[in-house]
Amino acid sequence: MDGGEKTEIKTGIKRSLRDEVIPDPKGQKKSRTCPYLDTINRHMLDFDFEKLCSVSLSRINVYACLVCGKYFQGRGPNTHAYIHSVSGEGHHVYLNLLTFRFYCLPDNYEIIDSSLNDIIFVVNPTFTQEYIKNKVNQSRMSRAYDATHYLPGVGVGLNNIKANDYCNVVLQALSNIEPLRNYFLDPANYAHIHHAPGTVGLSMFPLVTRFGELVRKLWNPRNFKAHVSPHEMLQAVVSCSKKKFQFTKQGDAIQFLSWMLNSMHIGLKTKKKSTIINRCFRGTMNIYSQKILPVELEGKERERELGSPDYQERVEESPFLYLTCDLPIPPLFRDEKKENIIPQVSLFQLLNKFDGKTGKEYQTYKENIFKRFAITKFPTYLILYHKRFTKNTFYIEKNPTIVNFPVKNIDFKEYLSDAASPEHIEPIYDLVANIVHDGQPVNGTYRCHILHKGTGKWYEFQDLHVKEIEPQMLSLTESYIQIFEIQKPQKKSSTTT
């Protein structure tokens, strides 16, 4: 080998190194090649949990080891990630969970490789406007990295950490409300929300952002596994609710849903415009209330009180996010065969409460009030809550009455007040979500049924378990919360003869 060949070989080596090493003005070494990329174990990666260092429990500068999946703090010498990388187990590839950059330790250079993009998409799924508008409701099954097949949105279950099934059903239902889902699939819609360091408990910032992350993970068509852990979302719930709702103790789904909607509305609220929560769920009603005279009043005193302003009927317009339906009292006795009677009631019978004519007496600690309700504006998504639980001094009692309801083309026009705007859309609704409570009041469990728009099929969710269900089976369950979507008015097509 002569000197010229040596020069060519040396020149070639220098040229290849120059192509692999990327110059950086800040002095950070970057490389397009890393000999340890084949050690990455995607089966061990789980980015659903709180981003804490597994040693120091710090949230600052946390890195994920892409070999074992554990979180460690720091990258420089004597940091936990650095020590883990030199422990002799061959764990050298790390991901910064804030900047989404990959590093090789202990050599401390940034890895630039497009083959790692699938990991970034799992950590932080991003969707284009075209995908959100036209492809998110696809009926095609996706294949996870663990070889399981799932349908994005409805084929992804949620972990039950201990007793958070009452949260899971609400989160699954809300993540399938189309305008709400599309809004949270694009983080730019709520990027304006900021909070000062140290004010996490006083702000709804974590709740809004964590819900957005959860929705994007549930609708991710390229997940590594066909289930998601709502751990970070539940941590935000515990923090923002000041421990009113916890995932170690069973709670009430309607209380959680009400708090969730109001809290996200507060978190998203700006001075200029309404929020997506109001645009989806807010309706208005007229409440007619009139005091009831005490029984002991007689004669002229009774007539005088009837003529006073205090006992005149008052009208108040009130907004609502859901309507409460009062179930009839179940029978106390058993039938001839000594079996429990399962009472049934029609949904329309329950809705008579809002026809503007049917009234009910409500008792307070000092007076009785007769009220009737008339809806003046129906929301795009109508939430009905069937009041199954009553509390007394000693225990909580559950009403097992079955509510019979149609799944499609439910006409609510007769419950619309005469004072409603003539421009109001015809209130014909279809059921899109049905939350069910099974078992005893305290130790019971929740499950939900969701309609998938892409396939037109119904799916049942009970934490990690997801299965298809026939729509005829929905009315046989003890429905607790129902969400109906208003039908869009069809454009009249002109016909020529």
Side-chain angles (χ1 to χ4, degrees):
M1 182 181 296
D2 58 13
E5 291 176 332
K6 290 181 181 180
T7 303
E8 289 181 6
I9 294 174
K10 290 181 180 180
T11 305
I13 294 173
K14 289 181 180 179
R15 186 181 298 113
S16 64
L17 287 175
R18 185 169 62 250
D19 293 340
E20 293 173 1
V21 180
I22 303 171
D24 182 56
K26 295 182 180 180
Q28 171 64 52
K29 293 187 294 182
K30 298 183 180 182
S31 176
R32 295 191 185 277
T33 62
C34 178
Y36 303 109
L37 290 183
D38 59 346
T39 64
I40 296 176
N41 189 355
R42 286 172 171 79
H43 290 287
M44 298 295 295
L45 302 184
D46 190 345
F47 302 106
D48 296 336
F49 293 96
E50 198 171 5
K51 308 301 186 293
L52 298 175
C53 173
S54 59
V55 180
S56 66
L57 302 182
S58 173
R59 293 182 173 86
I60 302 173
N61 202 22
V62 178
Y63 290 78
C65 174
L66 300 186
V67 181
C68 64
K70 294 181 180 179
Y71 297 164
F72 298 96
Q73 186 182 20
R75 196 174 80 237
N78 298 324
T79 61
H80 299 296
Y82 184 93
I83 294 172
H84 184 68
S85 68
V86 297
S87 61
E89 298 179 358
H91 296 198
H92 298 292
V93 186
Y94 294 81
L95 169 66
N96 187 304
L97 295 175
L98 180 63
T99 63
F100 305 131
R101 293 183 177 183
F102 298 90
Y103 295 90
C104 180
L105 300 180
D107 297 337
N108 197 19
Y109 62 83
E110 183 179 349
I111 305 169
I112 310 296
D113 197 303
S114 59
S115 67
L116 302 175
N117 290 343
D118 64 326
I119 298 177
I120 296 179
F121 197 84
V122 170
V123 181
N124 183 39
T126 54
F127 305 92
T128 63
Q129 286 296 327
E130 193 274 335
Y131 182 88
I132 294 174
K133 185 176 180 180
N134 300 317
K135 297 182 180 179
V136 70
N137 280 329
Q138 63 182 350
S139 58
R140 187 178 63 181
M141 300 289 286
S142 295
R143 186 178 186 271
Y145 189 79
D146 60 2
T148 57
H149 290 80
Y150 68 97
L151 198 58
V154 298
V156 182
L158 290 175
N159 272 336
N160 188 345
I161 299 173
K162 187 173 182 182
N164 56 283
D165 56 322
Y166 75 99
C167 296
N168 287 354
V169 291
V170 171
L171 296 175
Q172 287 282 15
L174 292 180
S175 66
N176 279 273
I177 302 300
E178 190 168 336
L180 192 68
R181 176 203 65 196
N182 293 351
Y183 181 88
F184 279 97
L185 283 178
D186 185 2
N189 291 326
Y190 44 96
H192 62 279
I193 304 173
H194 300 286
H195 73 106
T199 60
V200 175
L202 303 177
S203 170
M204 294 304 160
F205 171 81
L207 188 72
V208 173
T209 54
R210 295 306 185 200
F211 181 72
E213 291 173 3
L214 181 65
V215 171
R216 285 184 280 132
K217 288 180 179 179
L218 288 173
W219 286 90
N220 184 1
R222 290 184 276 169
N223 272 323
F224 285 171
K225 55 189 184 304
H227 62 85
V228 172
S229 175
H231 191 272
E232 286 192 294
M233 177 69 208
L234 296 177
Q235 290 283 9
V237 168
V238 173
S239 174
C240 294
S241 68
K242 298 180 180 179
K243 299 184 179 181
K244 179 181 179 181
F245 300 100
Q246 302 185 34
F247 52 85
T248 57
K249 182 180 179 182
Q250 184 68 279
D252 191 338
I254 188 60
Q255 293 181 8
F256 176 67
L257 174 62
S258 177
W259 175 85
M260 186 81 181
L261 293 178
N262 282 288
S263 298
M264 287 203 298
H265 169 68
I266 293 172
L268 294 168
K269 191 175 181 180
T270 61
K271 295 181 179 179
K272 297 182 180 179
K273 58 182 180 180
S274 179
T275 67
I276 186 65
I277 303 297
N278 274 358
R279 293 196 293 272
C280 287
F281 303 107
R282 184 179 179 181
T284 57
M285 67 167 68
N286 283 339
I287 302 176
Y288 301 86
S289 57
Q290 185 176 16
K291 282 186 179 181
I292 300 175
L293 283 172
V295 181
E296 59 269 15
L297 293 181
E298 297 180 354
K300 294 182 179 180
E301 187 179 2
R302 186 179 183 86
E303 293 179 3
R304 184 174 64 253
E305 291 294 336
L306 278 174
S308 66
D310 291 341
Y311 287 92
Q312 300 303 311
E313 186 176 65
R314 299 178 182 179
V315 183
E316 177 188 4
E317 187 177 52
S318 175
F320 66 86
L321 290 176
Y322 65 89
L323 299 177
T324 301
C325 297
D326 302 317
L327 295 175
I329 299 174
L332 300 176
F333 304 100
R334 298 184 177 185
D335 60 9
E336 298 175 354
K337 298 181 180 179
K338 296 182 179 181
E339 295 178 355
N340 289 326
I341 300 173
I342 301 178
Q344 300 184 29
V345 64
S346 169
L347 176 64
F348 299 102
Q349 184 178 339
L350 301 179
L351 291 173
N352 287 336
K353 173 183 177 180
F354 306 100
D355 62 4
K357 302 173 184 177
T358 306
K360 183 180 177 181
E361 182 179 344
Y362 292 84
Q363 297 181 350
T364 65
Y365 68 97
K366 63 178 182 179
E367 60 188 5
N368 296 342
I369 302 176
F370 184 82
K371 292 184 179 181
R372 53 191 180 92
F373 308 90
I375 297 174
T376 55
K377 180 185 177 182
F378 276 100
T380 306
Y381 288 86
L382 177 64
I383 302 177
L384 296 183
Y385 153 56
H386 303 304
K387 191 175 181 180
R388 293 195 175 275
F389 302 109
T390 54
K391 297 181 180 180
N392 57 33
T393 308
F394 304 101
Y395 58 90
I396 302 175
E397 186 177 0
K398 180 182 177 181
N399 190 327
T401 302
I402 299 295
V403 180
N404 296 319
F405 56 88
V407 176
K408 290 186 177 181
N409 301 320
I410 308 172
D411 193 349
F412 288 83
K413 187 176 182 179
E414 61 179 290
Y415 309 107
L416 191 63
S417 170
D418 296 334
S421 170
E423 299 178 358
H424 196 287
I425 302 176
E426 196 78 8
I428 300 176
Y429 284 83
D430 296 331
L431 184 69
V432 293
N434 182 50
I435 296 177
V436 177
H437 183 273
D438 297 316
Q440 299 300 317
V442 179
N443 300 322
T445 58
Y446 287 93
R447 54 193 170 101
C448 66
H449 305 120
I450 304 292
L451 173 66
H452 184 251
K453 291 290 188 68
T455 59
K457 296 179 180 179
W458 282 89
Y459 290 84
E460 181 179 273
F461 294 81
Q462 191 162 19
D463 299 326
L464 291 176
H465 305 286
V466 182
K467 66 178 182 179
E468 188 179 336
I469 186 174
E470 294 296 329
Q472 294 85 353
M473 301 297 293
L474 302 184
S475 61
L476 303 179
T477 59
E478 297 179 7
S479 298
Y480 190 52
I481 302 171
Q482 295 178 307
I483 304 178
F484 298 87
E485 180 185 12
I486 198 167
Q487 292 183 358
K488 296 179 181 179
Q490 296 181 354
K491 296 181 180 180
K492 297 181 179 179
S493 58
S494 58
T495 57
T496 56
T497 56

